[in-house]
Amino acid sequence: MNKSGLLSIITPVYNGEKFLNENAQSWLKQTYQNFEVIYVDDGSSDNSRNLIEEIVKCDQRFKLVCQDHVGIAQAIKRGIQEAGSNYIVFMDQDDIAMPWRLEKTAEAFANGAELIMGDYEIIDEFGKPTGRIVSFPSFITSENLLLEQFKRTYFLGSAMAFKYKGDFEFHVDSGGATDYDISLKMLLRDYQFVYIPDILIRYRVHNRNTSANYSKQKQDVKTIFSQYEHQELFQHLLKKGFNPFEVSLSLGICYLFQNNLDVASPYLQKAMLLINQSDRRTYQECMFYNSVLYFLLDEYSKSFELLHDLVKKGYNNPSIFNNIGVMLVYFAQTAKAKEWFNQAHDLNKQYSDVAHNLKLLNDNHVDYRDYKFTTRLLREVLTHIQIR
């Protein structure tokens, strides 16, 4: 870490007046006080700028940078340009830092970390804890994190910190997936990753979150991957020592999420040829995402076969049960479909796709195209959500 030990906190702001005071107060309560906070106002139309100006008057460690409304990625880039340190800490305008966040982050940097991620507690719009804490899954290691990032981002920008070496450019159109863009570029460049197994922030979930817009998130990810040639990624990952099955599966899932079936299909089918049944986690992923591929290609019998195979082998992920239910609606077996939907709901009461499907079925709706076929394994599988 640099001699000064300064940490530069970057927070993009857009119409965040409701949350800014609580956000700023959480920095003042830190056990590590050598920091600066750079609020980049991205053309707010509310009272955000005035509130930040008042905060700046009270403490010179807080800074305000103003720009026209050009988006979160540009705001982050501008914030880093204004930073007094290359040790960068991200946090969203509506989130709250735990008092020990900066102390633990500074310690990790001092020990050689270049990319840091920690746990986060989910709160509602009013700051009330939901009882949910998100941490890295136990199967994620510094060795396989890069590969797993292609399946789904494990980084939440608000809980991220990194040493910026200036060795890559920010994609200014990456939008709400800017944290994904940054973390992927750093992992591809072998930045030293460190996971802090402690709650670093309280992450506020509400309908104005950038991450809440699933279709926009998919488009942002597609924009990020427009920077890469998939064949070059494949060869690059092989050179890093990953085996062809792992690479094919990861890239297949990655491009399937982007609805790029022409690229996803050969990778997923290659993974099927190389599949290892003894590894239950990757076997489930391979079979599930190939079933999604077949569904999107309108090959419903093949999709159903793969899902049914998973059930026979003892896999009980709710998304598998839900998708079997959708297939049974297509096959006009609605009574059986309801049984599978109910099983999925019993496993996860907050599963919105299956709640939607049960409502349609109870209303005697028979057009399968209106039912929701889940195209990703449920978030609990991917991000290890604990309920407390």
Side-chain angles (χ1 to χ4, degrees):
M1 195 169 178
N2 57 29
K3 291 181 181 179
S4 71
L6 178 69
L7 297 179
S8 295
I9 299 153
I10 311 297
T11 295
V13 175
Y14 183 68
N15 293 343
E17 62 178 352
K18 184 176 179 180
F19 309 110
L20 284 170
N21 281 328
E22 195 173 14
N23 178 287
Q25 285 297 317
S26 73
W27 296 124
L28 295 174
K29 296 174 182 177
Q30 292 294 305
T31 55
Y32 183 93
Q33 285 286 305
N34 189 9
F35 65 83
E36 63 175 357
V37 180
I38 302 170
Y39 289 117
V40 183
D41 185 84
D42 188 41
S44 294
S45 58
D46 66 357
N47 197 41
S48 291
R49 285 192 186 184
N50 291 333
L51 284 173
I52 297 170
E53 285 172 353
E54 292 302 314
I55 293 169
V56 170
K57 287 177 185 177
C58 296
D59 193 321
Q60 293 185 348
R61 292 175 298 178
F62 292 83
K63 301 175 182 178
L64 171 62
V65 177
C66 298
Q67 64 181 29
D68 293 334
H69 184 47
V70 289
I72 186 172
Q74 289 274 28
I76 288 172
K77 183 177 181 179
R78 178 73 183 279
I80 291 174
Q81 289 170 345
E82 299 286 339
S85 168
N86 63 335
Y87 290 90
I88 306 298
V89 177
F90 279 167
M91 194 161 82
D92 294 340
Q93 64 185 8
D94 47 0
D95 295 337
I96 302 165
M98 303 303 282
W100 52 82
R101 180 183 182 182
L102 294 185
E103 182 178 356
K104 288 182 178 291
T105 300
E107 182 180 350
F109 277 137
N111 289 326
E114 297 174 318
L115 176 60
I116 298 168
M117 181 64 190
D119 299 344
Y120 53 98
E121 179 183 18
I122 298 177
I123 58 176
D124 66 16
E125 182 173 1
F126 306 102
K128 182 180 178 182
T130 63
R132 306 172 82 198
I133 295 169
V134 182
S135 61
F136 261 46
S138 58
F139 64 82
I140 295 289
T141 66
S142 57
E143 286 74 30
N144 70 3
L145 176 57
L146 169 59
L147 203 64
E148 295 298 327
Q149 274 289 95
F150 285 95
K151 300 175 187 175
R152 184 188 188 101
T153 181
Y154 288 91
F155 285 84
L156 176 75
S158 211
M160 262 177 78
F162 58 89
K163 179 182 179 181
Y164 183 51
K165 303 176 186 179
D167 55 348
F168 64 85
E169 290 294 322
F170 296 88
H171 197 305
V172 295
D173 295 320
S174 55
T178 301
D179 48 0
Y180 189 20
D181 181 42
I182 292 171
S183 60
L184 189 59
K185 286 173 175 172
M186 290 182 172
L187 291 169
L188 284 167
R189 287 164 175 78
D190 298 317
Y191 275 53
Q192 183 63 44
F193 170 71
V194 169
Y195 164 57
I196 298 175
D198 205 343
I199 300 169
L200 299 185
I201 68 159
R202 290 194 170 107
Y203 176 65
R204 197 182 306 265
V205 173
H206 50 84
N207 58 13
R208 296 189 298 280
N209 284 109
T210 307
S211 57
N213 189 333
Y214 187 67
S215 59
K216 178 65 167 60
Q217 186 183 49
K218 290 183 73 169
Q219 184 56 49
D220 289 340
V221 169
K222 197 169 185 176
T223 299
I224 288 169
F225 278 92
S226 68
Q227 302 169 92
Y228 305 99
E229 291 289 339
H230 66 89
Q231 299 96 332
E232 292 179 7
L233 285 174
F234 184 82
Q235 293 302 323
H236 184 77
L237 292 170
L238 288 180
K239 288 177 182 177
K240 285 187 173 292
F242 298 112
N243 68 53
F245 167 72
E246 296 172 323
V247 177
S248 298
L249 179 61
S250 294
L251 291 181
I253 293 171
C254 174
Y255 285 96
L256 185 67
F257 178 65
Q258 301 170 51
N259 288 331
N260 189 338
L261 303 189
D262 289 339
V263 174
S265 181
Y267 284 122
L268 287 173
Q269 290 176 6
K270 183 174 183 177
M272 282 288 286
L273 295 174
L274 300 170
I275 196 167
N276 178 6
Q277 293 194 33
S278 65
D279 185 336
R280 286 184 61 81
R281 181 178 63 82
T282 56
Y283 183 83
Q284 176 181 237
E285 288 177 344
C286 189
M287 298 291 280
F288 178 83
Y289 286 108
N290 269 283
S291 79
V292 173
L293 174 67
Y294 284 131
F295 179 82
L296 295 176
L297 293 172
D298 297 332
E299 297 186 38
Y300 302 126
S301 293
K302 288 183 178 180
S303 178
F304 183 80
E305 269 180 44
L306 295 181
L307 293 169
H308 195 252
D309 177 84
L310 285 172
V311 172
K312 285 196 299 183
K313 288 183 168 62
Y315 293 90
N316 62 351
N317 187 284
S319 54
I320 297 171
F321 293 175
N322 174 76
N323 290 357
I324 287 176
V326 175
M327 291 284 87
L328 289 169
V329 172
Y330 171 74
F331 296 135
Q333 299 180 40
T334 55
K336 288 185 177 180
K338 188 170 184 178
E339 292 176 9
W340 287 99
F341 289 148
N342 281 329
Q343 286 187 70
H345 184 258
D346 288 344
L347 287 171
N348 188 329
K349 302 286 196 239
Q350 297 177 325
Y351 186 6
S352 59
D353 283 1
V354 80
H356 169 88
N357 292 341
L358 278 169
K359 184 177 186 308
L360 288 184
L361 204 60
N362 289 332
D363 292 341
N364 296 315
H365 193 91
V366 295
D367 189 341
Y368 80 96
R369 292 169 296 185
D370 295 328
Y371 285 75
K372 290 189 176 181
F373 188 93
T374 302
T375 56
R376 305 203 84 180
L377 284 166
L378 287 192
R379 190 166 169 80
E380 282 81 353
V381 174
L382 295 165
T383 55
H384 190 56
I385 292 182
Q386 305 171 1
I387 307 297
R388 294 188 180 179

